[in-house]
Amino acid sequence: NAGVMQNPRHLVRRRGQEARLRCSPMKGHSHVYWYRQLPEEGLKFMVYLQKENIIDESGMPKERFSAEFPKEGPSILRIQQVVRGDSAAYFCASSPHKRAEQFFGPGTRLTVL
Amino acid sequence: DQQVKQNSPSLSVQEGRISILNCDYTNSMFDYFLWYKKYPAEGPTFLISISSIKDKNEDGRFTVFLNKSAKHLSLHIVPSQPGDSAVYFCAASANTGNQFYFGTGTSLTVIP
């Protein structure tokens, strides 16, 4: 069984550009979570999605950030007009149902120049 | 507002001895707790969980203890091995919520 896949593993963007981060959950998992980890900090919840639905986006900044989990294809975290403060590691996790153990991907390290 | 706290950023333990990692939480609604282990440049890996109906859960060398009255949980690793050197995160969730709240992590170094 393939684990949670994230790509790209590293992403470099200039200020003002868009960043698209992809996450393919484990087979059979319909619950996807996105987290951000800033240097020297823990994992901060951003958004929780189930197929085609955003369940909880309380941790996501109101502007420039959006997430989707379409019926077909990976979940996408999109950051528009990136700023230097967006530089972080972004982790995706999936689970078979709500509040089950979450399985994490390897993360995408975003660097904004 | 940090609802899950790991007050020790780092811990060093001799190989073969016990490692004890601590975690405190503030939200009395939390009823499900997880521990994750993370190596550099990798995603966290699930280690062990505990529900609030229990006060102890054991899996091989790993045991998690939950003290609900103190809002405190701990992870015991015995015997500690060099391969256990990693950052350990605790996480908590409430039945009424959708998310897990993570602590800031404790970096464990097991000295051979």
Side-chain angles (χ1 to χ4, degrees):
Chain A
N1 267 341
V4 178
M5 311 283 284
Q6 286 189 252
N7 66 82
R9 293 292 307 273
H10 301 273
L11 182 61
V12 179
R13 285 288 177 265
R14 296 192 180 278
R15 280 179 296 169
Q17 291 184 319
E18 178 180 288
R20 278 184 179 241
L21 289 64
R22 293 174 190 78
C23 169
S24 296
M26 284 182 70
K27 188 176 180 181
H29 288 192
S30 59
H31 299 252
V32 166
Y33 304 80
W34 285 94
Y35 294 86
R36 176 164 66 176
Q37 185 181 24
L38 295 168
E40 309 302 324
E41 292 189 15
L43 294 160
K44 298 288 189 190
F45 167 81
M46 296 182 75
V47 61
Y48 161 41
L49 309 103
Q50 248 187 301
K51 277 291 188 183
E52 300 184 88
N53 292 307
I54 297 174
I55 307 300
D56 184 344
E57 56 183 348
S58 59
M60 203 150 68
K62 295 286 184 280
E63 297 178 354
R64 302 189 298 108
F65 286 73
S66 62
E68 61 178 16
F69 189 15
K71 189 176 179 182
E72 302 289 339
S75 175
I76 306 284
L77 179 67
R78 182 181 176 206
I79 312 172
Q80 295 178 287
Q81 298 175 315
V82 295
V83 301
R84 289 223 172 103
D86 296 332
S87 295
Y90 292 83
F91 291 96
C92 165
S94 73
S95 66
H97 51 85
K98 180 182 168 181
R99 295 227 307 158
E101 296 90 75
Q102 297 177 9
F103 294 81
F104 282 80
T108 294
R109 274 141 193 88
L110 171 66
T111 302
V112 179
L113 301 177
Chain B
D1 180 27
Q2 193 72 23
Q3 298 192 51
V4 177
K5 299 177 184 178
Q6 293 176 258
N7 292 319
S8 298
S10 62
L11 174 68
S12 290
V13 170
Q14 207 72 33
E15 181 178 4
R17 307 294 290 267
I18 184 171
S19 295
I20 300 176
L21 297 101
N22 294 304
C23 180
D24 297 292
Y25 60 96
T26 57
N27 189 339
S28 58
M29 298 298 291
F30 287 155
D31 63 351
Y32 186 49
F33 306 87
L34 309 175
W35 281 95
Y36 283 87
K37 172 180 172 179
K38 185 182 181 303
Y39 293 117
E42 293 185 13
T45 303
F46 169 73
L47 267 179
I48 192 168
S49 64
I50 189 166
S51 162
S52 61
I53 61 173
K54 291 184 166 184
D55 54 20
K56 176 183 172 181
N57 189 24
E58 193 171 348
D59 184 0
R61 296 186 299 115
F62 301 91
T63 303
V64 56
F65 295 91
L66 175 62
N67 183 333
K68 289 184 287 294
S69 60
K71 295 193 183 68
H72 176 84
L73 65 156
S74 60
L75 175 68
H76 292 211
I77 307 173
V78 55
S80 301
Q81 299 173 354
D84 296 330
S85 297
V87 178
Y88 290 78
F89 292 97
C90 65
S93 77
N95 187 41
T96 53
N98 293 310
Q99 60 173 285
F100 279 94
Y101 294 84
F102 280 78
T104 50
T106 296
S107 178
L108 173 66
T109 302
V110 179
I111 304 163

